[in-house]
Amino acid sequence: MGSYLALIYGVIIIAALVIIGLIKFIFAQDKGDEKMQQISDAIKEGAMAFLNRQYKTIALLALIVAIIIIVANYYGHLSEGTGTALSFAWRIGFAFITGALCSALSGYIGMYIAVNSNVRVAAGAKSGLNRALQIALKGGAVTGLAVTALSLFGVATLFLAYGGLSGLSGQEALIKEAPSLLVGFGFGASFVALFAQLGGGIYTKAADVGADLVGKVEAGIPEDDPRNPAVIADLVGDNVGDCAGRGADLFESTAAENIGAMILGVGLYPVFGWRGILFPLVAGAIGIISSIIGIYFVNTKDESKDPMIALNKGYFVTTIVNLIALFFAVKIMLSGHLPDGSEVNYWLLYGAVVTGVVLSYIFVFLTDYYTSVNKRPVQEIAKASTTGAATNIITGISVGMESTALPVIFISAAIFIAYKLGELALPHIGTSGLYGTAIATMGMLSTTAYILAMDTFGPITDNAGGITEMSGAPESVRHVTDRLDACGNTTKALTKGYAVGSAALATFLLFSAYLDEVKKILGKPIDSWFAVDIGKPEVFIGAFIGAMIVYLFSSTAIRAVGRAAQYVILEVRRQFREIPGIMEGTAKPDYAKTVDIVTKGALKEMVIPGLIVVVTPILVGVILGKEAAAAFLMIGTISGVILALFLNNGGGAWDNAKKFIELGNYGGKKSEAHKAGVVGDTVGDPFKDTAGPSLHVLIKLISTITLVFVALFR
Amino acid sequence: MGSYLALIYGVIIIAALVIIGLIKFIFAQDKGDEKMQQISDAIKEGAMAFLNRQYKTIALLALIVAIIIIVANYYGHLSEGTGTALSFAWRIGFAFITGALCSALSGYIGMYIAVNSNVRVAAGAKSGLNRALQIALKGGAVTGLAVTALSLFGVATLFLAYGGLSGLSGQEALIKEAPSLLVGFGFGASFVALFAQLGGGIYTKAADVGADLVGKVEAGIPEDDPRNPAVIADLVGDNVGDCAGRGADLFESTAAENIGAMILGVGLYPVFGWRGILFPLVAGAIGIISSIIGIYFVNTKDESKDPMIALNKGYFVTTIVNLIALFFAVKIMLSGHLPDGSEVNYWLLYGAVVTGVVLSYIFVFLTDYYTSVNKRPVQEIAKASTTGAATNIITGISVGMESTALPVIFISAAIFIAYKLGELALPHIGTSGLYGTAIATMGMLSTTAYILAMDTFGPITDNAGGITEMSGAPESVRHVTDRLDACGNTTKALTKGYAVGSAALATFLLFSAYLDEVKKILGKPIDSWFAVDIGKPEVFIGAFIGAMIVYLFSSTAIRAVGRAAQYVILEVRRQFREIPGIMEGTAKPDYAKTVDIVTKGALKEMVIPGLIVVVTPILVGVILGKEAAAAFLMIGTISGVILALFLNNGGGAWDNAKKFIELGNYGGKKSEAHKAGVVGDTVGDPFKDTAGPSLHVLIKLISTITLVFVALFR
């Protein structure tokens, strides 16, 4: 047992050392000329200012929620005695705060490195593609490793502190209770993730839309032009939306999934003992090591090759190392004797791991199909643009809706296969099927650190492109950053597919964890079935509200972008009017003022959609009861996954349809088709960068929130 | 008992006589000048040709389905003996065919009268608003009465033939079995309704978009200009989409609701006897009489008043008569003794009726709020149009998404209240709560005939406007038809709200009917609870696919419009090119050829989306089992209602945002804002007239299809 803990903490220490090494490597790079540094400093300042202010707002909200959690759980558990209730309430509240802090910290680290890497990538591009690629990916890797290592550290340490350590030394009851206490950690993480993603998503698109509408359309200056007062805000937005947002999102995914799988491991205690509960943590540690190995495999000797090939090589290496290491982990940890005395067939459980890994590849492939310029859907939208903006929009919506079908079928198949493998491996044990799906989810999430590195690569290269553009670097340097930027757009789209896929797979797990918790409260054995009767009106209503809430949330999130963009538009217009010489390049616009205004706007606008998501599940549970909350949870989750697929893929397809036209098709830039393409791209922006990614977090938040408040439900 | 049957059939005969009287009245009106008649004849020819060809296609599909139903039910019931299985299979198959025929017939009658009324409304406009209003509403009333009377006749007669008559004479077992045999009728009706709405919806929008894109945008000629080769197809489209489509939709609603309520009435046999089973039919008869009275109250003496006031007066009268008559029906029929000997409190059951009536008013109000030019949402979209098409679309989508929230909350409240009233009135009887919601649905649907009259009023006045425009009638006449047309646009939007509201309320009923049927097959008592365990993977997958299917269906329906519109565009361009003198007005375009091409296109494109809806529920049931089919049904229904609200309200809001700009706001016609408004309107067209209304039918179709095929499910 000690060796497993040594492994877990050893990996955490290795990750920390690698992170320090990467940071040293990045800071040792050339910072570029003075002009580049000036721009980079402005971005850095804006991004950090936003993050600081955002965290203040979130901290205030989190504090209120923490108090509510503690009070609610105290009264909810009073029947078990004052002492137990108090201890329970404090522990779950403390877990919430820890989760929130860890999530915030991982967002902070990722952002800090990203805004320091961007200028170095721009400078590195002078020495060629490979150098720039290395810096950008290593910058991204800091986020990937920080997020996953912090998640592992938080979950493992809380588990040990909440009885896991005594449990491992033989006190069976304690180890069985510990995982349930961790849900507070998951809720804290998802709470911060929701607001981080929402605020960041609103910021990035408000700045983008505002900069484009006044800069490109009204003033007629190109993108990333230093005369545009919103140009720095736009570059800041790339960081706070894609970088901090997605980091918090996947921090939450890995934490929630680990906790959910550990809770299920409790049900298998008779077969695997504490090994079944510890397995998820070991799997997480393996994923970190594999990702580190994968990251060091990324390099491109042939400068003319697509950098995507190098990134894919790293992903492939990570997957292979993972598959091998997880096999041994399954073989060693998930072996044991069934109640009838026969051996557990670990090959079946390993099959579930493979199912998850295959699903992650399928999701990446499907996202690529629906959003790539080389494929039918995007080209169909581009063709429809020739008859105007209306047909572009209609086709884009149709493509987005269509793109929900295959992912749902493959998720369904994966859940079914993993469930049946779990049942076959552990027959006649209540939660064995669910444990199968949990293992599949671990397989899918084992590459998270690498995926996140690729994802953060996106905003870093995007920023690097902006910096070279604004600093007037030579054409050859811009060519390098342009290629990396195009590659970053692809990785961002793919990781969004990965994020929603893993969220979808994890939902079934989290939903089942909720049912388990309800059983425990009702005093039913954990391996009994708790059926939700959808013939009852309360349950039907809970389901109805669950399906509706994702629309209401998306509506408010999309509208928030529009409103925040208005602030930007007014400010940019004001600067053009009041500061003479901006357009002639003789006077500098007041970038900081614009950054400040988007910051205030985004933070103000994130509160309403965020509160809708936090308050509704509690209201449903308190007013309509536990079963209604279960239906709310299930239908909200399912509808959320599908709406997120629609928004992400539709938005991505519109984006690339415009790019496809810009490549010279249907008349190229400045054609009528291109104008229609720009409309589609603008519509898609809040879809794919604000509402869609926030829905991933919403899905997991409603799971953890119902778990934390279940004691209050009727 | 005889007196109730006399009432039901008496009302059917009265309805038939009133229909004959209305037809005579319409045909006695002035047919207008020769030019008007020419145009009207062309519309008539095109509409009837489409309907004939469409029905041929549907008949072929229906025949195949009928055979499958008979074979499937024969094998599904074989365990009960060959004789029983054969008798069951034939009866359910015959019911399917009858339902399909009745639905087709009601669509046919409505269309026939509509295409004969339009020119008479145009001619009547010469003698003033009141005359034209009367003709248009009475034309619509023929559809309303034909649809509801045929539905009542079909359900009542099949019920009596399938054992109801012997049952009423004392054979208790027979009367309890009869309602379940009627589900075939509901399925037949919804099967035809789906294809009628889909084909009509594709036709109308393909013609509309095609005519606009080439005529208005490319050739620069105004709407309804006789030089446009697609202008007749566009006018035909109004009839086949709005008239035949919605007629079939509400035929299906009333039939399915009646059947569902009768099945629930069986569960209350110990209290109400056969009265509880017959009550839904009596309520239907009352609705027809009230609507007839309401229709004769519509007239406007003051020609300067908004004709909407006169239509609302009729609606109000219908509702009041209904409320009074239903009170006596409830008091007389739904009285009896509870098992403990106490009297049933019929006031509580009457409260459920009132709940349904109130809900229908709320739905009409909410639809009005989200789609009216005078309200915040539409004006917000209009304002967003000033910054271009992209912001118009983003705001419209946001409004559409937001508009799902309040309807869901009110439907939920209505279901909850009606359910609790049912339980309070009939304590400790299994299906009493559901019967409460069934009664509420009856309350809501009791005004169907009048609502349908208002709805069909829309395409008639739309056509009348087109005829006056094309025939070059004087300005004063056009002013009258313009006012009626504007009024028709409002009624069309409101009835869409009514249709989706009643579909949503009926779904809970139909879903429960499915659960009852499953219980019967499993040999459980009908008043036991059958819980669907959403923790099982099959059930989760069924739910997932249910939520996805409504997106896939909408995607294919929207894309079908795009494709069919392409055929129109190519044909119109060809005519402009090959027929010299069209633009100068010296040569006539070949209208019939365009009509023929849209017809073929729409019929071809309706098959794929239609088949998706028919095949998927059967596959889910056969492969994943009864419980998965229940989850599919519930989540498909809920998601379908919400997506339909989004599509209908979004589309309606875009339409009126354009109109708001045309009224002179934000620069009025030809401003940049107006261009953006036109884009939004075009995007909304397939939303609100193809995909949205087809989803209403889809919702009910998946209920009836699972009911008919449940014997086959695993």
Side-chain angles (χ1 to χ4, degrees):
Chain A
M1 176 264 293
S3 54
Y4 290 115
L5 292 185
L7 173 69
I8 293 167
Y9 282 94
V11 167
I12 293 169
I13 292 166
I14 291 172
L17 293 175
V18 172
I19 289 172
I20 294 170
L22 290 172
I23 293 177
K24 273 195 182 157
F25 166 82
I26 290 162
F27 278 90
Q29 303 298 316
D30 174 22
K31 283 208 289 179
D33 56 37
E34 205 192 332
K35 213 162 176 188
M36 281 187 174
Q37 285 182 40
Q38 270 180 7
I39 301 161
S40 159
D41 285 345
I43 298 174
K44 208 182 298 179
E45 211 177 283
M48 290 329 245
F50 173 75
L51 213 62
N52 288 335
R53 290 243 289 263
Q54 189 186 33
Y55 282 170
K56 260 186 220 154
T57 312
I58 298 177
L60 187 73
L61 292 168
L63 197 70
I64 300 170
V65 173
I67 294 170
I68 297 174
I69 289 175
I70 293 171
V71 173
N73 274 284
Y74 175 72
Y75 284 104
H77 289 267
L78 253 187
S79 59
E80 301 158 33
T82 323
T84 317
L86 204 60
S87 140
F88 191 90
W90 274 114
R91 284 192 288 176
I92 208 160
F94 180 75
F96 172 82
I97 293 167
T98 319
L101 283 177
C102 284
S103 174
L105 186 59
S106 59
Y108 196 89
I109 295 174
M111 176 85 107
Y112 180 74
I113 298 307
V115 293
N116 280 297
S117 305
N118 52 18
V119 67
R120 292 173 168 89
V121 172
K126 287 182 196 156
S127 349
L129 183 71
N130 192 32
R131 175 144 220 95
L133 172 71
Q134 296 278 342
I135 303 170
L137 184 73
K138 287 183 174 157
V142 173
T143 305
L145 292 174
V147 163
T148 45
L150 259 171
S151 161
L152 186 62
F153 175 74
V155 175
T157 310
L158 269 184
F159 166 71
L160 294 176
Y162 282 2
L165 198 58
S166 336
L168 289 172
S169 337
Q171 297 184 24
E172 205 181 307
L174 282 177
I175 200 173
K176 286 188 178 177
E177 198 195 74
S180 307
L181 289 164
L182 299 183
V183 293
F185 186 83
F187 179 42
S190 51
F191 186 84
V192 170
L194 182 76
F195 285 100
Q197 182 66 67
L198 251 180
I202 294 170
Y203 187 112
T204 178
K205 288 304 121 176
D208 190 7
V209 171
D212 281 4
L213 279 182
V214 190
K216 274 203 234 172
V217 181
E218 289 182 17
I221 51 179
E223 194 156 343
D224 287 340
D225 191 297
R227 288 172 294 177
N228 191 332
V231 69
I232 294 289
D234 191 6
L235 289 168
V236 169
D238 292 331
N239 291 295
V240 300
D242 284 332
C243 191
R246 192 98 62 261
D249 176 6
L250 284 170
F251 175 85
E252 204 281 320
S253 272
T254 51
E257 194 276 334
N258 266 341
I259 296 166
M262 288 169 84
I263 293 178
L264 287 169
V266 172
L268 298 172
Y269 197 85
V271 180
F272 299 133
W274 50 263
R275 282 193 183 83
I277 303 174
L278 227 50
F279 177 76
L281 298 176
V282 171
I286 288 173
I288 292 175
I289 291 294
S290 323
S291 298
I292 293 175
I293 297 172
I295 287 160
Y296 281 100
F297 263 85
V298 176
N299 62 62
T300 181
K301 271 163 211 142
D302 182 352
E303 299 261 322
S304 66
K305 266 196 191 159
D306 185 355
M308 204 59 218
I309 295 173
L311 292 176
N312 280 335
K313 189 172 68 182
Y315 184 32
F316 186 71
V317 169
T318 305
T319 311
I320 293 295
V321 176
N322 246 322
L323 278 175
I324 295 169
L326 283 172
F327 172 75
F328 289 104
V330 168
K331 191 177 171 201
I332 296 167
M333 296 187 79
L334 301 185
S335 57
H337 291 281
L338 293 170
D340 67 2
S342 63
E343 286 268 343
V344 174
N345 184 344
Y346 59 80
W347 280 101
L348 294 171
L349 295 175
Y350 184 63
V353 172
V354 176
T355 306
V357 171
V358 170
L359 185 67
S360 66
Y361 268 88
I362 290 176
F363 253 81
V364 166
F365 174 81
L366 288 177
T367 312
D368 184 58
Y369 175 74
Y370 278 106
T371 57
S372 154
V373 284
N374 308 315
K375 300 291 183 338
R376 193 261 312 162
V378 165
Q379 297 187 356
E380 206 175 77
I381 298 176
K383 193 181 164 202
S385 308
T386 56
T387 39
T391 38
N392 166 292
I393 299 294
I394 291 175
T395 313
I397 288 178
S398 174
V399 162
M401 286 178 157
E402 184 197 312
S403 77
T404 63
L406 288 175
V408 166
I409 289 171
F410 282 106
I411 294 170
S412 299
I415 288 178
F416 194 79
I417 292 169
Y419 194 94
K420 289 294 161 193
L421 286 171
E423 277 190 338
L424 284 174
L426 305 154
H428 313 301
I429 298 173
T431 53
S432 62
L434 283 176
Y435 201 68
T437 63
I439 295 177
T441 315
M442 280 173 226
M444 184 156 189
L445 284 173
S446 58
T447 47
T448 297
Y450 188 84
I451 291 278
L452 257 176
M454 288 219 294
D455 188 55
T456 314
F457 176 88
I460 293 176
T461 54
D462 197 339
N463 265 224
I467 292 170
T468 47
E469 183 76 34
M470 284 181 69
S471 65
E475 183 60 33
S476 64
V477 179
R478 264 193 265 173
H479 180 66
V480 170
T481 53
D482 275 358
R483 282 175 65 197
L484 286 177
D485 191 11
C487 176
N489 280 333
T490 311
T491 61
K492 274 192 287 184
L494 299 186
T495 48
K496 244 174 261 166
Y498 175 84
V500 69
S502 59
L505 196 56
T507 51
F508 183 58
L509 192 65
L510 291 171
F511 174 66
S512 308
Y514 172 78
L515 292 183
D516 278 357
E517 201 56 34
V518 171
K519 279 179 228 162
K520 223 163 57 181
I521 290 180
L522 297 177
K524 292 185 173 191
I526 201 162
D527 59 351
S528 70
W529 283 118
F530 172 72
V532 175
D533 186 347
I534 45 184
K536 285 189 194 161
E538 295 91 331
V539 177
F540 188 82
I541 292 168
F544 225 140
I545 295 175
M548 173 270 277
I549 207 74
V550 297
Y551 280 83
L552 184 61
F553 172 79
S554 303
S555 167
T556 51
I558 290 169
R559 194 165 306 176
V561 173
R563 265 202 294 258
Q566 284 299 322
Y567 307 142
V568 181
I569 291 171
L570 294 178
E571 171 61 20
V572 173
R573 281 190 192 145
R574 187 195 65 79
Q575 291 200 19
F576 276 136
R577 202 171 53 234
E578 295 180 7
I579 307 177
I582 289 188
M583 283 299 283
E584 297 74 34
T586 53
K588 249 181 87 175
D590 188 352
Y591 301 128
K593 178 85 187 156
T594 323
V595 168
D596 188 57
I597 279 175
V598 204
T599 302
K600 277 190 196 144
L603 294 181
K604 194 177 135 199
E605 300 294 341
M606 79 179 183
V607 176
I608 296 288
L611 285 185
I612 288 175
V613 179
V614 175
V615 172
T616 313
I618 301 179
L619 282 184
V620 168
V622 170
I623 298 174
L624 297 171
K626 292 186 185 68
E627 273 187 79
F632 171 90
L633 186 52
M634 183 169 102
I635 284 67
T637 300
I638 288 177
S639 308
V641 168
I642 291 176
L643 193 57
L645 284 167
F646 164 64
L647 295 170
N648 287 343
N649 291 338
W654 268 315
D655 189 349
N656 275 334
K658 186 193 73 175
K659 294 223 171 87
F660 183 73
I661 296 170
E662 286 174 353
L663 290 174
N665 300 291
Y666 301 116
K669 271 194 181 182
K670 308 212 166 167
S671 64
E672 283 303 307
H674 186 247
K675 275 186 201 158
V678 170
V679 171
D681 181 37
T682 312
V683 170
D685 268 345
F687 281 27
K688 72 178 197 308
D689 290 320
T690 311
S694 300
L695 278 174
H696 307 169
V697 188
L698 178 147
I699 293 162
K700 289 165 285 174
L701 180 84
I702 57 174
S703 293
T704 49
I705 202 169
T706 41
L707 270 166
V708 167
F709 284 99
V710 65
L712 268 193
F713 294 173
R714 202 161 62 83
Chain B
M1 175 263 294
S3 55
Y4 291 115
L5 292 185
L7 173 69
I8 293 166
Y9 282 95
V11 167
I12 293 169
I13 291 167
I14 291 173
L17 293 176
V18 171
I19 289 171
I20 294 170
L22 290 172
I23 293 177
K24 274 195 181 156
F25 166 82
I26 290 162
F27 278 91
Q29 304 298 316
D30 175 22
K31 283 208 289 181
D33 56 38
E34 206 192 333
K35 214 161 175 185
M36 282 185 173
Q37 286 182 40
Q38 270 181 6
I39 301 160
S40 158
D41 286 346
I43 299 173
K44 208 182 298 179
E45 214 177 281
M48 289 330 246
F50 173 75
L51 214 61
N52 288 334
R53 291 243 289 263
Q54 189 186 34
Y55 281 171
K56 260 186 222 155
T57 313
I58 298 177
L60 188 73
L61 293 167
L63 197 69
I64 299 170
V65 172
I67 294 170
I68 297 173
I69 290 175
I70 293 171
V71 173
N73 275 284
Y74 175 71
Y75 284 104
H77 289 267
L78 252 188
S79 59
E80 300 158 33
T82 323
T84 317
L86 204 62
S87 140
F88 191 89
W90 274 115
R91 283 191 289 176
I92 210 160
F94 181 75
F96 172 80
I97 292 167
T98 319
L101 282 177
C102 283
S103 174
L105 187 59
S106 60
Y108 195 90
I109 295 174
M111 176 85 106
Y112 180 75
I113 299 306
V115 293
N116 280 297
S117 305
N118 52 17
V119 66
R120 292 173 170 88
V121 172
K126 287 181 196 157
S127 346
L129 183 71
N130 193 31
R131 175 142 219 99
L133 172 71
Q134 296 278 339
I135 302 170
L137 184 73
K138 286 183 175 159
V142 173
T143 305
L145 292 174
V147 162
T148 46
L150 259 171
S151 161
L152 186 62
F153 175 74
V155 174
T157 309
L158 270 183
F159 167 71
L160 294 177
Y162 282 2
L165 197 58
S166 334
L168 290 173
S169 337
Q171 297 183 18
E172 204 181 306
L174 281 177
I175 201 174
K176 285 188 175 175
E177 198 196 75
S180 307
L181 289 165
L182 299 182
V183 292
F185 186 84
F187 179 42
S190 50
F191 186 84
V192 170
L194 181 76
F195 285 100
Q197 182 67 68
L198 251 181
I202 295 170
Y203 187 113
T204 179
K205 288 304 121 175
D208 190 7
V209 171
D212 281 4
L213 278 182
V214 190
K216 275 203 231 171
V217 181
E218 289 182 17
I221 51 179
E223 194 157 342
D224 288 339
D225 191 299
R227 288 172 295 177
N228 191 333
V231 70
I232 293 289
D234 192 7
L235 289 168
V236 169
D238 292 331
N239 290 295
V240 301
D242 284 331
C243 190
R246 192 97 63 261
D249 176 6
L250 283 170
F251 175 86
E252 204 282 319
S253 273
T254 52
E257 195 276 334
N258 267 341
I259 296 166
M262 288 168 84
I263 293 179
L264 287 169
V266 171
L268 298 171
Y269 197 86
V271 181
F272 298 133
W274 51 262
R275 282 192 184 83
I277 303 174
L278 227 49
F279 177 76
L281 298 176
V282 171
I286 288 173
I288 291 175
I289 291 293
S290 323
S291 298
I292 292 174
I293 296 171
I295 287 159
Y296 281 100
F297 262 84
V298 175
N299 61 64
T300 180
K301 271 162 211 141
D302 183 351
E303 300 262 322
S304 66
K305 265 196 191 157
D306 184 356
M308 204 60 217
I309 297 174
L311 291 176
N312 280 335
K313 189 171 68 181
Y315 184 33
F316 187 70
V317 169
T318 305
T319 311
I320 294 296
V321 176
N322 246 323
L323 277 175
I324 296 170
L326 282 172
F327 172 74
F328 289 104
V330 168
K331 189 177 173 199
I332 295 166
M333 295 187 80
L334 300 184
S335 56
H337 291 282
L338 294 169
D340 67 1
S342 64
E343 287 268 341
V344 174
N345 184 344
Y346 59 81
W347 280 102
L348 293 171
L349 295 175
Y350 183 64
V353 172
V354 176
T355 307
V357 172
V358 170
L359 185 67
S360 65
Y361 268 88
I362 290 177
F363 253 81
V364 166
F365 173 80
L366 289 177
T367 312
D368 185 57
Y369 176 73
Y370 278 106
T371 58
S372 155
V373 285
N374 307 315
K375 301 290 182 342
R376 193 260 313 161
V378 164
Q379 296 186 356
E380 206 175 75
I381 298 175
K383 193 182 165 202
S385 308
T386 56
T387 38
T391 38
N392 166 293
I393 298 293
I394 290 176
T395 314
I397 287 179
S398 173
V399 163
M401 286 178 158
E402 183 197 312
S403 78
T404 63
L406 289 176
V408 165
I409 290 170
F410 282 107
I411 293 172
S412 298
I415 288 178
F416 193 79
I417 292 170
Y419 194 94
K420 290 294 161 194
L421 287 172
E423 277 190 339
L424 283 174
L426 304 154
H428 312 302
I429 298 173
T431 55
S432 62
L434 283 175
Y435 201 69
T437 63
I439 295 177
T441 316
M442 280 172 226
M444 185 156 189
L445 283 173
S446 58
T447 47
T448 298
Y450 188 84
I451 291 278
L452 257 176
M454 288 218 296
D455 188 54
T456 314
F457 176 89
I460 292 176
T461 53
D462 198 339
N463 267 222
I467 292 171
T468 48
E469 184 78 34
M470 284 181 69
S471 66
E475 183 60 34
S476 64
V477 180
R478 266 192 263 173
H479 180 66
V480 170
T481 54
D482 275 358
R483 282 176 64 197
L484 286 177
D485 191 10
C487 175
N489 280 333
T490 311
T491 61
K492 274 192 288 184
L494 299 186
T495 47
K496 244 174 259 165
Y498 175 84
V500 70
S502 59
L505 196 56
T507 52
F508 184 59
L509 193 65
L510 291 170
F511 174 67
S512 309
Y514 171 78
L515 292 182
D516 278 356
E517 200 58 32
V518 171
K519 279 179 227 160
K520 223 163 56 181
I521 290 180
L522 298 177
K524 293 185 172 188
I526 201 162
D527 59 350
S528 69
W529 282 118
F530 172 73
V532 175
D533 186 347
I534 45 185
K536 285 188 194 163
E538 296 92 331
V539 178
F540 188 81
I541 292 168
F544 225 140
I545 295 175
M548 173 270 277
I549 207 74
V550 298
Y551 281 83
L552 184 60
F553 171 80
S554 302
S555 167
T556 51
I558 290 170
R559 194 164 306 177
V561 172
R563 265 203 294 258
Q566 283 299 323
Y567 307 141
V568 180
I569 290 171
L570 294 177
E571 171 61 19
V572 173
R573 281 190 191 145
R574 186 194 67 79
Q575 291 200 17
F576 275 137
R577 202 172 52 233
E578 294 179 9
I579 307 177
I582 289 188
M583 282 300 284
E584 297 73 34
T586 53
K588 250 181 88 176
D590 188 352
Y591 300 128
K593 177 85 187 155
T594 323
V595 168
D596 188 57
I597 278 173
V598 204
T599 303
K600 277 190 195 145
L603 294 182
K604 194 177 135 198
E605 300 293 343
M606 78 179 183
V607 176
I608 296 288
L611 286 184
I612 288 175
V613 179
V614 175
V615 171
T616 313
I618 302 179
L619 283 183
V620 168
V622 170
I623 298 174
L624 298 171
K626 292 187 186 67
E627 273 186 81
F632 171 89
L633 186 51
M634 183 169 103
I635 284 66
T637 299
I638 288 176
S639 308
V641 167
I642 291 175
L643 193 57
L645 284 167
F646 164 63
L647 295 170
N648 287 342
N649 292 338
W654 269 315
D655 189 350
N656 275 334
K658 186 193 72 176
K659 295 224 171 85
F660 183 73
I661 296 170
E662 285 174 353
L663 290 173
N665 299 292
Y666 301 116
K669 272 193 181 182
K670 308 211 166 170
S671 64
E672 284 302 307
H674 186 248
K675 274 186 201 159
V678 170
V679 171
D681 181 38
T682 312
V683 170
D685 268 346
F687 280 28
K688 73 178 197 306
D689 290 322
T690 311
S694 300
L695 278 173
H696 307 170
V697 189
L698 178 148
I699 294 162
K700 290 166 285 174
L701 180 85
I702 58 174
S703 293
T704 51
I705 203 171
T706 41
L707 271 166
V708 167
F709 283 100
V710 64
L712 269 193
F713 293 173
R714 204 160 60 83

